[in-house]
Each structure stands twice: as structure tokens, then as C-alpha cells.
């Protein structure tokens, strides 16, 4: 049964009492936003730490699928629950509370697109050779996301991290939906100053 509820009524004929049965449909519920995640620019191959494990964040989406939770495949389909990005709209906030309306990577504008179920942040005219980050969703368990950082971001002055908020929608196996958001923070990298090498000169060598 899909929708808010359906009613079945018996045929009303002489000598037969009419019986009405109402079905209240179940649907997915998301009572909390998805887990917050954090990745680090310093872990990029060009960063100051270079640890690949710090480039990926995963988290739960807290979807309660309800009774209509059939999941015969890992993707969407007839009578198959799914979770997908609601749209390719992304909100970016600095850790100082400012909204970043024009995000760039190495001076180039970052665009967003949906491709094969992934949300991709990229620069230039094509998403695939110029990816800055990718985000994917999975409908296993209570739903999950995976965010992978692939390039640097240009943080505004005095901002040490950028938080990206994504919109997602869970659809149960008979088409009922529920939506929420999750957020991932990208922490900025900083140069590290080393200790200079000491040297000495002698006045005796002066002419």
C-alpha cells in the first residue's frame, strides 16, 4: 500500500452489512541529520601530512525504513528501497559562520553535478578529470554516505575549515519518502616552518 492510507469497502447489498477497512501506510522516518564527518587537506598527496586515510569520511544517515523495507538490490528499482541526493544543491559555510557563495579550488570555480548516483565537486568544463571531491550514498542498514576529498579548496581569509551540507531523500520499497541532511567539514592545510640550518663566519677572513 502506498500513500497516506487506502480504504476498502464491501459491496452494499440488501441484507449485508457494509464493512469499511482502512489501511494506514508505513513510511521511512529520519529523526536526525546524518553523522557529521571531517576530512583534512593536509592528507592530500601535496599536503603536509599525506595520509590517505584522512581524505575519506563516512557516516550513518539514521534512516528508519519501516515495514516497506525490501532491499533486493544495492540500487533503486521497483519495490526496492533507496537513498539518493535530493538535488545537487550544496551549502558551504566557513568555520567563522560565514556563507561561501563562490567556492574555488586553485582559483577555479567549483561546480556540482550528479552522475551515476554520486555528487561530484569539480572545476573546469568536465567533472571526471577535474574532481575536487566525490560523495556517494548507500541504502544498507540505516543508510550511509562516503565523502572523498581529491583536491584542495580555497578557504576565505581567516577561515580554517569549510563545512558542506548535502540533502538526501530516502524512498522505501513502495515509494514513500523522507528527507534530511548531512554535513562534512574539510579542514584547511597550513605551511609548517622548519628550523633553519646554522652557519658561521669568521672575521679573520675579512680583507
Amino acid at each position: 500500500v502506498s500513500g497516506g492510507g487506502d480504504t476498502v469497502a464491501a459491496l452494499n447489498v440488501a441484507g449485508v452489512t457494509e464493512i469499511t477497512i482502512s489501511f494506514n501506510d508505513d513510511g521511512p522516518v529520519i529523526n536526525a541529520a546524518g553523522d557529521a564527518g571531517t576530512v583534512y587537506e593536509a592528507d592530500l598527496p601535496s599536503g603536509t601530512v599525506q595520509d590517505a586515510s584522512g581524505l575519506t569520511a563516512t557516516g550513518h544517515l539514521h534512516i528508519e525504513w519501516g515495514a516497506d523495507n525490501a532491499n533486493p538490490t544495492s540500487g533503486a528499482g521497483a519495490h526496492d528501497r533507496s537513498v539518493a541526493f535530493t538535488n545537487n544543491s550544496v551549502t558551504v559555510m566557513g568555520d567563522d559562520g560565514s556563507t561561501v557563495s563562490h567556492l574555488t579550488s586553485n582559483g577555479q570555480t567549483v561546480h556540482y553535478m550528479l552522475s551515476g548516483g554520486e555528487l561530484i565537486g569539480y572545476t573546469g568544463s568536465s567533472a571526471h578529470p577535474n574532481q575536487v571531491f566525490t560523495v556517494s550514498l548507500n541504502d544498507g542498514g540505516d543508510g550511509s554516505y562516503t565523502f572523498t576529498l581529491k583536491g584542495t579548496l580555497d578557504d576565505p581569509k581567516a577561515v580554517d575549515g569549510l563545512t558542506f551540507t548535502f540533502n538526501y531523500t530516502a524512498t522505501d520499497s513502495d515509494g514513500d519518502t523522507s528527507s534530511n541532511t548531512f554535513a562534512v567539514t574539510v579542514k584547511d592545510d597550513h605551511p609548517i616552518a622548519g628550523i633553519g640550518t646554522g652557519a658561521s663566519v669568521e672575521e679573520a677572513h675579512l680583507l
Side-chain angles (χ1 to χ4, degrees):
V1 180
S2 61
D6 291 273
T7 300
V8 177
L11 180 64
N12 188 12
V13 296
V16 177
T17 302
E18 182 176 314
I19 301 174
T20 300
I21 303 173
S22 296
F23 298 90
N24 291 318
D25 190 24
D26 195 13
V29 176
I30 310 173
N31 289 319
D35 294 342
T38 304
V39 295
Y40 301 87
E41 278 190 354
D43 291 319
L44 288 165
S46 60
T48 56
V49 177
Q50 301 178 10
D51 180 0
S53 65
L55 300 175
T56 299
T58 61
H60 294 277
L61 297 178
H62 307 297
I63 303 166
E64 298 177 20
W65 294 102
D68 300 313
N69 63 2
N71 195 28
T73 70
S74 59
H79 309 295
D80 186 4
R81 77 187 193 198
S82 64
V83 60
F85 290 101
T86 308
N87 48 49
N88 67 341
S89 177
V90 181
T91 302
V92 186
M93 300 284 293
D95 60 5
D96 62 351
S98 62
T99 299
V100 180
S101 57
H102 182 213
L103 181 67
T104 59
S105 172
N106 294 317
Q108 298 188 63
T109 300
V110 176
H111 308 283
Y112 310 109
M113 71 172 293
L114 295 172
S115 178
E118 277 191 325
L119 193 152
I120 302 171
Y122 68 99
T123 60
S125 59
S126 178
H128 297 288
N130 305 302
Q131 294 181 359
V132 180
F133 64 80
T134 61
V135 198
S136 60
L137 305 178
N138 188 289
D139 64 5
D142 64 351
S144 63
Y145 71 84
T146 300
F147 178 105
T148 302
L149 182 67
K150 297 188 174 185
T152 60
L153 295 163
D154 301 332
D155 295 62
K157 186 177 180 180
V159 169
D160 191 46
L162 298 172
T163 297
F164 295 77
T165 300
F166 305 95
N167 307 293
Y168 68 96
T169 297
T171 304
D172 71 11
S173 58
D174 74 347
D176 301 310
T177 63
S178 183
S179 299
N180 213 311
T181 63
F182 66 93
V184 176
T185 298
V186 179
K187 299 294 288 184
D188 193 22
D189 194 11
H190 299 281
I192 298 175
I195 299 174
T197 302
S200 63
V201 295
E202 296 182 15
E203 288 185 352
H205 293 294
L206 292 172
L207 296 178

